Amino acid sequence: MTLIFDPLNHRYYVDGLPVPGLHEILKAVGLIWEDWFLPEKTLRGRYVHKAIDLLNKGVLDWNTVKNPILGYVRAYQKAQDELKFQVLSSELFLYAPKYGFCCTIDWLVEFDGVLCLLEGKSGQFQKIHALQVGAQKLALAENGHHISKKHVLKLNENGTYRLEPIDFRAEFDWLTVLSFYNLKLNYRG
């Protein structure tokens, strides 16, 4: 199986065939509106994630990190230093064949002695992030990673962060969303 992610169009392909990602599914069921995503903030988020991925791989050149993303990357580094989590994987693309979707795991970490999922956000925290994290937990389990905790790590421009735990209901809520998505696909007239 070959999984390819097209970052420009935010699309996933498995063996050359398109497979929906979380954003596509949430949008199709009416839980995401495009006016939430301002182009400059979407681009900022991509740059923040790329810089953090380079930091996690030990190859970030801090001289290349400028405002407006500098504070967000410093917030991540501060969280890593203070919370003492160890990054096991960064920007991990996954396919969940049982459920028929793909996703990107921001950071799979060891935190408090257990395997943990961290979803990074540089924008406002939204309840919908719990659905995203619930889906990611299911995809991780299907790929042999059984996590104990899941969190959204909210990164702020001023270099601060907030760790937001996500409860067990997120996976069940995601399955409801996924069922509705599949109903829409199957019963469109």
Side-chain angles (χ1 to χ4, degrees):
M1 180 208 59
T2 303
L3 171 59
I4 296 173
F5 176 66
D6 171 6
L8 292 177
N9 298 305
H10 204 83
R11 296 279 301 157
Y12 298 89
Y13 298 87
V14 175
D15 295 333
L17 299 173
V19 176
L22 306 183
H23 181 92
E24 181 179 344
I25 293 168
L26 290 167
K27 182 179 174 189
V29 300
L31 292 172
I32 287 182
W33 297 270
E34 285 304 311
D35 59 344
W36 286 3
F37 297 95
L38 300 173
E40 65 274 8
K41 291 186 178 183
T42 300
L43 188 59
R44 178 194 68 205
R46 285 184 185 158
Y47 287 153
V48 168
H49 277 265
K50 182 61 176 171
I52 291 171
D53 188 40
L54 293 171
L55 177 66
N56 286 333
K57 291 176 179 168
V59 295
L60 179 67
D61 177 357
W62 279 99
N63 293 319
T64 65
V65 183
K66 307 290 183 207
N67 286 327
I69 69 164
L70 180 61
Y72 298 101
V73 180
R74 285 203 172 130
Y76 174 84
Q77 187 176 42
K78 180 179 181 180
Q80 190 174 27
D81 291 345
E82 291 180 358
L83 300 173
K84 307 212 180 304
F85 60 81
Q86 286 195 285
V87 178
L88 305 174
S89 189
S90 182
E91 300 298 323
L92 174 65
F93 303 124
L94 289 179
Y95 172 49
K98 176 180 173 183
Y99 300 107
F101 68 85
C102 290
C103 63
T104 302
I105 307 301
D106 289 346
W107 311 299
L108 187 60
V109 303
E110 187 177 309
F111 177 50
D112 286 340
V114 298
L115 194 59
C116 180
L117 162 64
L118 289 181
E119 172 65 23
K121 296 295 178 191
S122 59
Q124 289 185 340
F125 179 80
Q126 304 285 337
K127 288 182 181 180
I128 200 162
H129 296 151
L131 293 172
Q132 183 179 9
V133 172
Q136 292 169 338
K137 182 179 180 193
L138 291 170
L140 281 164
E142 193 171 348
N143 284 275
H145 303 283
H146 300 283
I147 63 168
S148 298
K149 296 181 179 181
K150 51 194 184 299
H151 300 275
V152 169
L153 181 60
K154 168 64 175 92
L155 306 171
N156 300 308
E157 188 175 11
N158 67 1
T160 62
Y161 68 90
R162 187 175 91 216
L163 190 64
E164 194 72 40
I166 304 298
D167 72 23
F168 70 93
R169 292 176 296 195
E171 295 92 281
F172 300 111
D173 291 345
W174 172 256
L175 290 174
T176 301
V177 168
L178 192 58
S179 293
F180 185 60
Y181 173 78
N182 286 317
L183 277 170
K184 284 185 77 171
L185 287 180
N186 292 330
Y187 289 95
R188 252 186 226 166

